[in-house]
Amino acid sequence: MSDRIQPNHRHADTVILLHGLGGTDWNLRYLGSRLERSGLRVEYYRYPSRKGQLEDAARGLADQVERAGGDRVHLVGHSLGGIVIARMLEAAPSPNVGRLALIGCPIRGSEAVEALLSTRLGRNLIGPVAWEGIVQRRPCAPAGREILVVAGTLPLGIGLLIGLPRPHDGWIQVPETHVDGARVILSRTWHFGMLFSRRVADSLVAFFNGGL
């Protein structure tokens, strides 16, 4: 029996993915599977996106970050999920958090969401979490971190009906996703299509493995 000491292998970094308004973790499984195949450990954060409070969603995310294994915890937020990430980092800027990817995230507000909130049907559709996080008390864009912003430019969605200025992804205008100092990828996909884009998946893999 050999007495040679076996080397300690570094634990893989963890990536936590957050869905957007009305979404589930199933919307994120394609991106998650691509990240797992690259050697990253993947988790999904589920939160009630149409009821409850933004603060509760942010607090739950902070708890999951605290429990996650690995040397660093990276975060991916689609749409409202990115707002939850921003609010969590405002309240609890965990040193465990590494890189951030914001996909179609209205970090600078959303003209489309505000238009919907002017109607009763829209208010029922949007709910209190998005109303607070996107309109009433929108968190500041995370600062001092490595961030990848993915913005869509295929205008399929409510944006066509209300005449949103292009470029937009059908819901969110490209300028509404802007974060100072972030790497930016423009994807010729619509708001939900970005979650199933090979180019977006490849960009996330490269970003979280130290590239881009």
Side-chain angles (χ1 to χ4, degrees):
M1 180 176 178
S2 173
D3 60 357
R4 189 174 71 178
I5 298 175
Q6 297 297 320
N8 290 323
H9 295 288
R10 183 180 69 86
H11 294 296
D13 287 351
T14 297
V15 182
I16 300 177
L17 292 89
L18 286 75
H19 59 79
L21 179 65
T24 71
D25 57 296
W26 289 107
N27 304 130
L28 303 166
R29 293 286 171 166
Y30 173 72
L31 296 181
S33 67
R34 296 291 299 273
L35 291 167
E36 283 184 320
R37 275 186 276 168
S38 77
L40 295 160
R41 184 171 176 269
V42 170
E43 295 183 5
Y44 301 89
Y45 177 60
R46 306 172 184 88
Y47 65 99
S49 59
R50 283 204 172 99
K51 59 183 180 179
Q53 301 296 322
L54 179 61
E55 298 297 338
D56 294 335
R59 191 176 303 113
L61 175 59
D63 291 341
Q64 185 160 335
V65 168
E66 186 66 25
R67 294 192 303 267
D71 294 334
R72 291 187 300 172
V73 180
H74 307 299
L75 302 174
V76 178
H78 175 241
S79 197
L80 181 61
I83 299 295
V84 175
I85 290 171
R87 176 53 53 84
M88 185 272 286
L89 291 173
E90 275 190 344
S94 170
N96 296 336
V97 174
R99 293 184 165 192
L100 312 176
L102 305 179
I103 303 175
C105 175
I107 196 68
R108 291 183 175 268
S110 168
E111 186 177 339
V113 169
E114 292 196 30
L116 282 173
L117 286 171
S118 67
T119 68
R120 179 179 298 179
L121 176 62
R123 288 191 291 273
N124 290 333
L125 175 66
I126 296 299
V129 178
W131 178 74
E132 179 184 357
I134 298 174
V135 179
Q136 185 192 32
R137 294 178 57 224
R138 186 172 66 251
C140 295
R145 297 180 181 273
E146 293 181 278
I147 300 174
L148 174 67
V149 166
V150 182
T153 61
L154 188 61
L156 297 178
I158 190 71
L160 286 177
L161 299 178
I162 65 174
L164 279 185
R166 298 187 185 189
H168 63 80
D169 64 9
W171 281 87
I172 308 300
Q173 299 173 62
V174 169
E176 293 171 338
T177 68
H178 177 78
V179 176
D180 289 341
R183 299 167 175 84
V184 178
I185 291 176
L186 298 181
S187 173
R188 186 60 179 169
T189 49
W190 70 299
H191 191 64
F192 294 99
M194 287 184 280
L195 301 180
F196 306 97
S197 163
R198 180 173 181 177
R199 179 170 180 251
V200 171
D202 288 346
S203 297
L204 292 180
V205 167
F207 181 60
F208 290 128
N209 281 287
L212 286 184

